[in-house]
Amino acid sequence: MDSAHPEFMETLQNFQFIRQLNEDTHSKSITLLGSIADEKTGKEEQSILLVEKLHFHASEIPVLVSSRLQSPKLTFNNDIYHWYKSNIKNDESIPDIKMTLIYPATEIHIKKYSKQEGVMVRETPDMYKQVVLPYIEGFPTSRIQWVYNILDKVQESERIVFEDPDKEHGFILLPDSKWDQTTMNALYLLVICHRHDVRSLRDLRSQHLELLRRIQREIPKAVVAKYPHVSEDQLKLYIHYQPSYYHFHVHVTHVALSSSPGATVGKANLLDTVIDNIENIDHEYYAKCTLSYVLGTDHGLYEGVQQYLNAPK
C-alpha cells in the first residue's frame, strides 16, 4: 500500500471482519470477507482482503537466527531432529505480509475467492459457442477497467518493465500483484496485449502469430535485462484457460513456481505449444479443438456447462 496515499491506509483500517473465505497452506495465505463503510454515504460495502506471508528477504537471512528470532522454544526432538517455534522480531524495513484489498467487492468476487470444489470440463467447440461465448459477451467492460487503466497508462505506468507500443502486435509487461518483486524464484509478471479483440485462447488465429512470436521473442530478453539474476531458460510463459479476465494476457513465471495451481495441467497452456499448434497443425486450431480444464463449482460458467452436458442430445 502506497504510504503517499494515507486515505488508502485509513480504508484498510476500517475493514471489519465477517468471515474467512479461503486458506492456502501452500502459499501461507488467507482470504477474508469484510465490510468497509463508504466515507461519503456511510453505507457498508463488501470487501475482500487477501493476506499472504512474504518470503524471507535476502538481507535478513544471514542474521535470522542470531538477531531476528524472538525466544525460540523447543517443542519436540527425536534423535538428531529438533523442532522449534518462534516469533520473528518486528523490523519495519522487512515487511512480514502482503495484502490485496478488493473494495467494493461484488458477489462474483466473493465466489471467485471462496474455497470451492473443482471439476474437469471437456469444452468442445459447440460448448464454447453455446455456453462460454455468451458468458464472455455478457461481461460489462467495467469488469476489466483496471486492464484499460494499465494500457492507457492511467494507473501503474511506473511499474511497466517493457512495452511494445504497436497497437496490433504490441503489449505491456509488468509485475503481477502476487509477486513481492524481491524473491526471484517466485518471479511472476504479466504480458497484457494492446489489442482489445482477443479475449482468450479461443480467439487466437494465424493472424495473431506475429503478436505471439513477439511475446515469445522479446519477453525473455526484457525480463533478464530487468532481473539479471534470472536466466531465460528459467522462465515459463503460458496462457490460462479459462482465464480470470477476458482480455488476452500471458503469464511469465519462474520455473520454480511450477507447483502453483495456475501453472498446472488443467489451467496453463504453454505459449510455445500454442504457437506450434496454430503454425503447424491448423491456423484455426483453437476454434476447432476440445479444451480440457478445471472449473470451480462456484464459477459463473459452471451452471451453464452442467445444463449443456445434461441436455438431451
Side-chain angles (χ1 to χ4, degrees):
M1 186 158 300
D2 192 342
S3 59
H5 298 281
E7 67 273 20
F8 295 157
M9 181 59 71
E10 184 176 342
T11 298
L12 177 62
Q13 291 172 338
N14 289 335
F15 180 89
Q16 298 295 316
F17 174 80
I18 296 176
R19 70 175 189 272
Q20 178 177 314
L21 296 178
N22 202 358
E23 178 181 14
D24 187 336
T25 56
H26 175 76
S27 64
K28 303 294 189 296
S29 64
I30 56 172
T31 306
L32 308 176
L33 175 66
S35 65
I36 296 176
D38 184 278
E39 293 182 1
K40 295 181 179 179
T41 66
K43 180 183 177 182
E44 294 285 335
E45 298 281 4
Q46 293 184 125
S47 55
I48 296 172
L49 187 64
L50 289 77
V51 185
E52 179 183 356
K53 290 187 177 181
L54 292 172
H55 295 274
F56 289 107
H57 194 277
S59 64
E60 69 178 318
I61 292 174
V63 296
L64 178 64
V65 176
S66 61
S67 302
R68 295 213 65 205
L69 295 186
Q70 187 172 311
S71 304
K73 293 180 175 58
L74 178 69
T75 58
F76 188 66
N77 72 287
N78 184 351
D79 193 31
I80 63 172
Y81 301 100
H82 308 77
W83 290 268
Y84 298 85
K85 288 184 178 180
S86 176
N87 293 323
I88 295 179
K89 294 179 181 178
N90 181 55
D91 186 335
E92 290 188 1
S93 67
I94 307 174
D96 296 320
I97 62 173
K98 177 170 71 72
M99 294 174 286
T100 301
L101 178 67
I102 302 173
Y103 165 75
T106 67
E107 290 300 321
I108 294 174
H109 289 117
I110 293 172
K111 285 184 177 182
K112 175 182 176 180
Y113 288 101
S114 296
K115 185 176 182 180
Q116 56 185 297
E117 298 297 322
V119 297
M120 284 299 300
V121 173
R122 295 183 72 254
E123 181 188 290
T124 63
D126 186 67
M127 183 191 292
Y128 174 76
K129 180 180 178 181
Q130 299 295 329
V131 178
V132 180
L133 184 57
Y135 172 79
I136 295 173
E137 292 177 337
F139 270 81
T141 55
S142 60
R143 287 286 303 278
I144 55 172
Q145 183 58 49
W146 66 273
V147 175
Y148 301 150
N149 288 345
I150 292 173
L151 295 176
D152 296 336
K153 299 189 175 70
V154 175
Q155 298 284 344
E156 304 191 49
S157 59
E158 73 284 354
R159 302 177 68 240
I160 294 174
V161 173
F162 177 83
E163 180 178 11
D164 179 336
D166 188 290
K167 294 304 179 184
E168 185 176 2
H169 306 302
F171 45 83
I172 282 177
L173 172 71
L174 75 169
D176 187 277
S177 60
K178 293 186 284 294
W179 182 37
D180 62 13
Q181 299 186 54
T182 300
T183 311
M184 286 300 112
N185 64 5
L187 178 142
Y188 201 140
L189 300 103
L190 280 180
V191 181
I192 303 177
C193 73
H194 280 299
R195 61 189 299 164
H196 291 196
D197 59 341
V198 183
R199 295 162 297 190
S200 76
L201 193 63
R202 281 287 190 192
D203 289 330
L204 294 175
R205 304 289 188 271
S206 58
Q207 63 264 34
H208 303 119
L209 282 172
E210 176 61 24
L211 166 65
L212 300 176
R213 290 192 190 110
R214 286 195 190 190
I215 295 172
Q216 182 188 48
R217 180 178 64 249
E218 299 299 332
I219 291 303
K221 292 189 294 185
V223 172
V224 171
K226 176 68 174 180
Y227 309 105
H229 294 299
V230 178
S231 60
E232 291 190 21
D233 60 4
Q234 290 179 310
L235 300 177
K236 181 160 57 173
L237 281 68
Y238 54 88
I239 301 158
H240 280 164
Y241 196 79
Q242 292 285 329
S244 56
Y245 56 95
Y246 293 97
H247 180 102
F248 186 68
H249 57 284
V250 177
H251 300 257
V252 184
T253 66
H254 195 287
V255 292
L257 273 181
S258 59
S259 60
S260 168
T264 57
V265 171
K267 186 70 173 180
N269 298 264
L270 288 174
L271 177 63
D272 290 345
T273 303
V274 170
I275 292 173
D276 189 66
N277 286 340
I278 298 172
E279 193 170 39
N280 297 316
I281 298 179
D282 193 313
H283 287 181
E284 295 187 348
Y285 180 87
Y286 288 99
K288 300 176 180 178
C289 71
T290 293
L291 291 171
S292 296
Y293 52 86
V294 177
L295 187 70
T297 54
D298 282 336
H299 193 285
L301 274 172
Y302 179 76
E303 184 176 349
V305 167
Q306 293 303 309
Q307 291 176 353
Y308 177 90
L309 293 174
N310 294 326
K313 295 297 190 289

